[in-house]
Amino acid sequence: MAKNSYEKPDFWSQKAFSEGYPARSVYKLQEIDQKFGFIKKNYTVLDLGAAPGSWTTFLLRKMDGSGKVVSCDLNPLSKDVKADNLTFIQGDLNEAEIRKQIKAAGPYDLVVCDAAPKTTGNRMVDTARSEQLVEMAIYYAQTMLKTGGNFCVKIFQNGDQQKLLKNMREIFKQAKGFKPEACRSESFETYLIGIEKKV
């Protein structure tokens, strides 16, 4: 019987390790940026659910010492993820005090979220939890992005994806789904993309 690809490092995992990233997820953001041109120098970027820090590291490298990255997670970033233009806030994104700290560091040109719920193996439960995270991330994008700002968030594919995209179209000029090649073939994750926040 073939082993599940999660059991051993694949091409993307090995590439991440060799390039100094904590996790393979970095290549999903790289592909999103290549397609949509999201990351620019001097941006202020919010990375939600950032640990262990691959997306934060990619953002810092891409902006090359300019702008500012604000990252937040319940867990700490990997110890080698640090920079003068990085602010890390450890805590629950649903707590009022954490929201206050994040808002004080904004407003933002870009909000990204690669957060995933703790999975149970029950797809219905896992997708429901994923949807809650997406709704939270959309709240941050709606309330803390500058006009014209962009947004991307991971979601476990389910029947509510179209409803969430419909909600995002009220906030952004464009909203669409996008599945990067770096997603594992058996994964049912994809990304929702919001382009140019309205007023």
Side-chain angles (χ1 to χ4, degrees), residues 43-91:
Y43 264 15
T44 299
V45 183
L46 175 59
D47 184 2
L48 302 170
S54 282
W55 279 32
T56 292
T57 300
F58 182 79
L59 290 163
L60 291 167
R61 290 182 184 180
K62 185 74 188 270
M63 296 200 300
D64 194 24
S66 71
K68 178 172 67 174
V69 177
V70 178
S71 299
C72 184
D73 200 292
L74 279 169
N75 301 307
L77 299 177
S78 295
K79 62 182 185 301
D80 54 346
V81 180
K82 50 193 172 189
D84 291 338
N85 58 333
L86 169 62
T87 299
F88 177 64
I89 299 168
Q90 187 167 351

Side-chain angles (χ1 to χ4, degrees), residues 111-172:
V111 173
V112 298
C113 180
D114 195 42
K118 287 185 178 178
T119 53
T120 63
N122 181 318
R123 183 160 177 171
M124 188 176 293
V125 171
D126 293 343
T127 52
R129 289 180 177 178
S130 172
E131 184 182 346
Q132 290 173 345
L133 284 174
V134 173
E135 289 173 343
M136 175 207 65
I138 291 172
Y139 163 81
Y140 275 94
Q142 185 171 18
T143 58
M144 300 188 193
L145 269 177
K146 298 175 184 176
T147 299
N150 298 316
F151 171 63
C152 73
V153 60
K154 177 162 69 184
I155 183 172
F156 291 168
Q157 292 167 288
N158 64 7
D160 291 325
Q161 186 175 329
Q162 292 307 314
K163 181 190 79 174
L164 292 163
L165 283 170
K166 184 179 178 183
N167 293 344
M168 286 173 60
R169 290 187 183 107
E170 299 293 317
I171 304 166
F172 297 94

Side-chain angles (χ1 to χ4, degrees), residues 12 16 23-30 52 54-55 114 154 182 191:
W12 299 107
R24 68 193 300 285
S25 58
V26 62
Y27 301 109
K28 301 168 193 175
L29 179 59
Q30 182 181 61
S54 282
W55 279 32
D114 195 42
K154 177 162 69 184
Y191 289 80

